[in-house]
Amino acid sequence: MNTVRYARYIIKDGVTCYENLDDHLSLAAFVASLLYIKIFGFRYDKEVLLYVALAGLLHDIAKALNVYHRLLPRGRLSFSNPPHEEVSAAIARTMILESRVRICKVLGKDVDIERLEKLVIRPISNHHQGLRMLTLEERSSISYNLKKDDVIAINNVIKSSINKLLGYVERFSPYIPEDLIKLTKRIPDLGLELKNSRLRRSIRIDMGAGEANVEDQISLSELSRIVTGILIAADYIATEVNLLKINSRCLSSTRLSREILNLTR
């Protein structure tokens, strides 16, 4: 089994080219953060900024599993059986809950479970809804039992992705807000790691439309929808930039930087 993990592949002129998973996750996290800041301008929230970065960093983490790297004819890969976004959401939920105390420490305040679910986990689960319209029943029936080597692969990809994300922040530091630099540099402190193969499938959240805080609920739901849109866009942009890098081996660091900035304008 190949130990390198891929996020996507393309076939060009009869040759199969692969996008490395850590390249994809790190760039998606960086681009998602930039898009969030661009949309909200000076009104952006540091807590949500961290959640957007985490959603980008974990949105395809299930692609590290062995089940998705069994090569099909012509070097093709399949990430739909089971749907990788749902398995990624379960992995991300487990990691985030295990790191909740550290997240509180980084943000300097208590962290609400519902906000984590709606602003990190739900966008991950929904980032392929345009391709796969899964019902709630279909989602609840999805299951996948991790093995020891899956856990190792996931943790290796997370570590590598975080290091590459830090590299992007360092490269673009003259052009991005100080908050993004500081928060990204604290991500290693979150201790994002899968401790074992047991995944948290769900967190019970009472939507309760008749509750007294319905206005806050709607606001959070709307923000969840926006973060999902940001994640979908960042997913696409990260792939476009990485494939540009793959197809143009002589692509300079300066041009790559310009392409990333252009795609987020």
Side-chain angles (χ1 to χ4, degrees), residues 32-181:
S33 301
L34 292 178
L35 289 174
Y36 170 70
I37 292 172
K38 185 172 182 63
I39 289 171
F40 286 90
F42 66 89
R43 296 178 295 115
Y44 73 84
D45 180 271
K46 294 180 185 178
E47 178 187 4
V48 179
L49 178 59
L50 178 61
Y51 295 167
V52 168
L54 290 176
L57 194 63
L58 299 172
H59 78 282
D60 274 349
I61 189 58
K63 290 182 178 181
L65 304 183
N66 285 330
V67 68
Y68 297 117
H69 286 79
R70 296 165 183 161
L71 291 181
L72 301 174
R74 297 181 65 193
R76 293 180 296 115
L77 297 169
S78 174
F79 300 110
S80 59
N81 186 24
H84 74 272
E85 64 272 23
E86 296 299 332
V87 184
S88 292
I91 294 171
R93 180 182 292 110
T94 305
M95 282 186 170
I96 292 296
L97 290 178
E98 290 177 349
S99 300
R100 186 186 176 195
V101 172
R102 296 186 183 93
I103 294 174
C104 293
K105 187 174 181 180
V106 167
L107 292 173
K109 64 177 184 179
D110 192 25
V111 171
D112 183 69
I113 287 291
E114 183 176 4
R115 287 176 68 82
L116 283 170
E117 179 72 16
K118 289 189 175 181
L119 300 181
V120 181
I121 311 306
R122 190 167 295 178
I124 291 174
S125 177
N126 289 336
H127 83 274
H128 271 301
Q129 281 302 291
L131 299 176
R132 284 187 284 274
M133 303 300 292
L134 301 176
T135 65
L136 290 176
E137 183 178 356
E138 288 171 332
R139 289 186 185 190
S140 63
S141 67
I142 293 170
S143 63
Y144 182 75
N145 296 319
L146 302 187
K147 298 177 174 59
K148 184 177 179 180
D149 52 351
D150 288 322
V151 174
I152 293 172
I154 287 169
N155 291 333
N156 286 341
V157 168
I158 285 295
K159 183 177 180 180
S160 178
S161 300
I162 290 174
N163 287 336
K164 290 189 175 185
L165 174 58
L166 293 172
Y168 279 117
V169 168
E170 183 70 25
R171 182 189 303 182
F172 288 93
S173 58
Y175 313 105
I176 60 180
E178 186 68 22
D179 286 336
L180 177 55
I181 298 173

Side-chain angles (χ1 to χ4, degrees), residues 34 172 175-176 256-265:
L34 292 178
F172 288 93
Y175 313 105
I176 60 180
L256 178 60
S257 299
R258 187 168 61 247
E259 291 292 340
I260 294 173
L261 291 176
N262 285 341
L263 284 167
T264 56
R265 282 175 183 165

